[in-house]
Amino acid sequence: MNMENLRQRKGAKIADDTTKCLSNEVQKEQKGKVPASKTSAELVLGHFSWNILSNTLGGSLAVSFGLLTSVYVATLHENDLWFSNIKEVEREISFRTECGLYYSYYKQMVQAPSIQQGLYELMYDNKTESRTTINILRRMNVYQEVIVSILYRILPVQKYLEAIYFYTYTVFGLQTLYVFALFVNSWLLSGTWLSGVLAATWYILNRYYKS
């Protein structure tokens, strides 16, 4: 009986030791593991943060390229024509061919006694074509010039900026929107703003070939 009791006690002790060892190993493994739900949440949060950072950087580059193009074109225009150092009539002469024609309608709207009178003179124009009254708004599509002239009349800039400068600066400012749209369009088509950088860069470098 004594021998059997000793054997049973030894067996029970060995079983307890084995159970404790296994329990300790399981606890260690559980401590070393990260819950699956926590890992998924961290991945989603990291991916979301990266998207915000990437989109912010891409948007900043799009705006920067647009502003850079506007300043660049305005600087080239000034250096080529000395636009700020020549007389008013020489500035107007620098608008060649159809550019000068469209500017003349803008100037006509600016110098009209009122916006209504300016629109009336454009809709019943008898100066552009001999012995013919035409609607310049429909024939020449000068809605852009009309909008710019109205903006010049209603905005408090007439004391600080001449009409011809407002016209040219508006044209250069539209370059910002153009390059910004080109950047974003390329970004959306490719899925990365790097293509937007390439598209805007090639547009600036090939400025002489753009229409």
Side-chain angles (χ1 to χ4, degrees), residues 94-107:
S94 68
F95 298 130
R96 299 178 179 89
T97 62
E98 69 273 8
C99 296
L101 179 63
Y102 288 120
Y103 173 77
S104 69
Y105 298 133
Y106 162 80
K107 183 179 179 180

Side-chain angles (χ1 to χ4, degrees), residues 69-79 169 172:
T69 304
S70 179
V71 174
Y72 179 56
V73 174
T75 303
L76 288 177
H77 182 261
E78 174 64 26
N79 293 341
Y169 290 162
F172 297 145

Side-chain angles (χ1 to χ4, degrees), residues 15-85:
D16 291 339
D17 292 341
T18 303
T19 303
K20 289 180 179 179
C21 290
L22 292 174
S23 178
N24 290 335
E25 291 179 0
V26 170
Q27 289 179 358
K28 289 180 180 179
E29 290 179 359
Q30 290 179 350
K31 288 181 179 180
K33 289 183 178 180
V34 179
S37 59
K38 186 177 179 180
T39 304
S40 301
E42 289 178 350
L43 289 175
V44 171
L45 181 61
H47 183 69
F48 181 71
S49 301
W50 168 250
N51 283 339
I52 292 177
L53 179 61
S54 179
N55 291 336
T56 302
L57 180 59
S60 301
L61 287 173
V63 174
S64 300
F65 270 99
L67 294 174
L68 175 64
T69 304
S70 179
V71 174
Y72 179 56
V73 174
T75 303
L76 288 177
H77 182 261
E78 174 64 26
N79 293 341
D80 185 41
L81 300 174
W82 287 56
F83 199 73
S84 61
N85 297 303

Side-chain angles (χ1 to χ4, degrees), residues 166-180:
F166 187 81
Y167 182 80
T168 55
Y169 290 162
T170 301
V171 174
F172 297 145
L174 290 174
Q175 290 291 314
T176 301
L177 296 179
Y178 182 86
V179 175
F180 178 82

